[in-house]
Amino acid sequence: MIHSLFIINSSGDVFMEKHWKSVVSRSVCDYFFDEQRKVGNPDDMPPIITAPHHYLISIHRSSMFFVAVCTTEVPPLFVIEFLHRVVDTFDDYFTECTESIIKENYVVVYELLDEMLDNGFPLATESNILKELIKPPNLLRTIANTVTGKSNVSATLPSGQLSNVPWRRTGVKYTNNEAYFDVVEEVDAIIDRSGSTVFAEIQGYIDCCIKLSGMPDLTLSFMNPRLFDDVSFHPCVRFKRWETERILSFIPPDGNMRLMSYHIGSQRVVAIPIYIRHHLSFKEGVLDLTVGPKQTIGRTVENVVVEIPMPKCVSNCSLSCNQGKYSFDPVSRLLSWDVGRIDVSKLPNLQGMVTCQSGSAMESKPTINVKFTINQMAVSGLKVNRLDMYGEKYKPFKGVKYITKAGKFQIRM
């Protein structure tokens, strides 16, 4: 299925490659670089590129491109999901996934890729299983391996590998038994210049941190499960139970995992939690922006960042803001305003002069890209009803946290 994997940094250098079947020449990445030159933003890169004898399937994470090379037709989403699983595994092992960290841990990275893919087909992709196969790196283990010449690879198979619950290892014991759930929703929206919603939908997911002893069997129910238009589950979830009762029933992996992802489509009314009053005139050279909360049920809007990619005719911006700080890059023409937390008593405002080059043609007005975070609020109205545990006698500590974020949130000027 997957012949080779190339990891490309932000400078366009292939700094790591891994081959499972036959060796594919690095020159195949030239097709990828040709497409990359055509797009300005890395996120606009087409995920699938067809070459004469290969298919290049890529994702962009942590300022790097992970490019899988296939010689036959494959389900592309299958490969994309595997690439995301690779990056998530690196994040779990090394705390974060960056070029420098991958270079520092080349040996462990190659060992992980050997176990995750067997002859081009996914084998062990669960973090629990991998940690039993390959010990996560630490300073003491690195020194010991250097002295003794041993590797991080375990000599025995993981205990759960041959069971019908391969994602959970046996004999798990904790002093404090805890189960935490994060319900995270990202709002994708397009707002027109009058403030009306052109398009809005929600991409959500539920992340868990499960630290429970033994072999617990959990059920998670929602107050309003009919909200979901489309769902995707971790393999531990019993799908038949969800289809009949709309209840999540599962034996969880030990540690962190993504329990489910869901989509709430544009046919439902999506509450827009933020608004921007804007005025931009290139003729007068004036810019005025005011940011405020909207439909947040009293929750504070935090980590607000407003970005405006100015047209080429703009040479400089001389602005003042009553909150946060702004910057203008004269090369990329990007105006960025880091607002922070919105104070309802005094709404953040950015205003001032925009200088245009003399004699340059006036271009169309740009769009405003907004980022924000709202804690303890799910914008869809989704609520967890209850979490029950069977198979074990102790009472665990349970917690649920709701977070709303901006996905691709654009406002037309």
Side-chain angles (χ1 to χ4, degrees):
M1 179 175 278
I2 299 175
H3 268 63
S4 302
L5 173 68
F6 296 94
I7 305 180
I8 302 170
N9 62 17
S10 55
S11 305
D13 299 323
V14 179
F15 69 90
M16 180 179 167
E17 58 186 89
K18 168 68 178 168
H19 307 281
W20 285 275
K21 293 187 176 182
S22 56
V23 175
V24 177
S25 172
R26 189 180 285 197
S27 61
V28 75
C29 294
D30 291 343
Y31 297 103
F32 177 84
F33 296 135
D34 290 341
E35 290 292 329
Q36 192 179 22
R37 291 186 198 100
K38 298 175 185 176
V39 297
N41 190 341
D43 293 328
D44 295 333
M45 187 72 187
I48 304 161
I49 299 168
T50 306
H53 303 291
H54 301 90
Y55 295 97
L56 279 67
I57 301 173
S58 65
I59 64 167
H60 182 250
R61 293 270 301 265
S62 306
S63 302
M64 294 178 288
F65 283 101
F66 293 77
V67 184
V69 179
C70 309
T71 56
T72 56
E73 282 197 20
V74 295
L77 290 177
F78 191 88
V79 180
I80 288 170
E81 177 62 28
F82 173 77
L83 292 175
H84 281 294
R85 189 65 67 90
V86 168
V87 182
D88 292 340
T89 302
F90 291 170
D91 279 332
D92 195 23
Y93 261 75
F94 313 125
T95 310
E96 60 178 336
C97 178
T98 63
E99 181 186 353
S100 58
I101 284 177
I102 289 175
K103 286 179 176 178
E104 287 170 13
N105 298 278
Y106 265 143
V107 174
V108 179
V109 168
Y110 276 107
E111 289 171 348
L112 283 171
L113 292 175
D114 269 330
E115 296 297 339
M116 295 184 77
L117 220 62
D118 180 33
N119 199 34
F121 290 87
L123 179 64
T125 58
E126 278 297 329
S127 186
N128 280 303
I129 302 299
L130 289 167
K131 282 182 178 175
E132 283 194 70
L133 278 167
I134 301 161
K135 298 292 186 287
N138 58 39
L139 185 60
L140 192 63
R141 191 174 290 124
T142 303
I143 295 170
N145 289 347
T146 305
V147 174
T148 60
K150 292 182 179 179
S151 71
N152 291 327
V153 180
S154 173
T156 57
L157 272 175
S159 52
Q161 183 81 351
L162 303 176
S163 74
N164 60 352
V165 189
W167 51 83
R168 186 173 180 87
R169 59 191 174 91
T170 56
V172 181
K173 287 185 180 179
Y174 286 102
T175 307
N176 298 318
N177 293 284
E178 305 166 327
Y180 298 106
F181 295 84
D182 288 351
V183 181
V184 183
E185 296 189 338
E186 296 184 353
V187 184
D188 296 339
I190 298 175
I191 314 296
D192 68 13
R193 59 187 304 174
S194 64
S196 303
T197 304
V198 177
F199 165 85
E201 64 180 18
I202 295 168
Q203 311 289 345
Y205 49 89
I206 300 177
D207 284 343
C208 313
C209 180
I210 309 284
K211 296 183 178 179
L212 300 175
S213 304
M215 195 67 74
D217 198 328
L218 305 180
T219 59
L220 184 72
S221 60
F222 300 98
M223 300 279 281
N224 38 8
R226 302 289 171 189
L227 280 171
F228 302 125
D229 289 327
D230 192 15
V231 289
S232 171
F233 297 114
H234 187 277
C236 70
V237 176
R238 300 180 179 99
F239 188 60
K240 204 160 191 176
R241 183 90 185 266
W242 170 261
E243 279 191 314
T244 54
E245 302 176 47
R246 284 293 188 266
I247 288 175
L248 293 179
S249 174
F250 57 99
I251 296 174
D254 180 42
N256 298 314
M257 67 145 176
R258 178 155 297 178
L259 181 64
M260 70 176 288
S261 303
Y262 60 88
H263 169 249
I264 297 175
S266 54
Q267 64 269 23
R268 299 183 185 272
V269 177
V270 176
I272 304 299
I274 196 170
Y275 72 87
I276 293 184
R277 287 198 298 266
H278 51 82
H279 172 66
L280 174 63
S281 173
F282 292 130
K283 288 184 178 178
E284 300 170 13
V286 174
L287 172 66
D288 191 345
L289 297 176
T290 303
V291 186
K294 177 184 177 184
Q295 296 175 308
T296 60
I297 57 172
R299 304 294 182 193
T300 305
V301 186
E302 301 173 306
N303 304 325
V304 179
V305 177
V306 179
E307 292 181 343
I308 306 176
M310 289 292 189
K312 293 178 182 178
C313 63
V314 176
S315 59
N316 196 17
C317 296
S318 178
L319 308 168
S320 62
C321 53
N322 63 353
Q323 183 178 330
K325 56 183 179 181
Y326 84 94
S327 62
F328 177 72
D329 187 345
V331 178
S332 63
R333 305 287 204 281
L334 180 67
L335 173 64
S336 180
W337 178 25
D338 188 349
V339 179
R341 178 182 294 192
I342 293 181
D343 184 2
V344 185
S345 60
K346 188 180 181 182
L347 294 178
N349 177 260
L350 177 72
Q351 60 181 342
M353 304 298 292
V354 175
T355 307
C356 295
Q357 296 170 358
S358 57
S360 60
M362 291 297 153
E363 301 180 35
S364 58
K365 289 186 177 179
T367 57
I368 303 173
N369 299 314
V370 188
K371 298 174 186 174
F372 58 82
T373 304
I374 306 172
N375 288 313
Q376 294 306 323
M377 172 184 159
V379 72
S380 66
L382 180 70
K383 279 194 169 69
V384 172
N385 182 24
R386 60 183 295 165
L387 174 71
D388 297 311
M389 186 183 76
Y390 306 94
E392 299 292 339
K393 294 182 179 178
Y394 57 82
K395 286 189 176 180
F397 182 81
K398 300 172 281 189
V400 180
K401 184 169 69 174
Y402 301 92
I403 303 171
T404 295
K405 294 180 179 179
K408 293 182 178 178
F409 197 97
Q410 292 187 340
I411 299 172
R412 295 171 179 169
M413 299 185 80

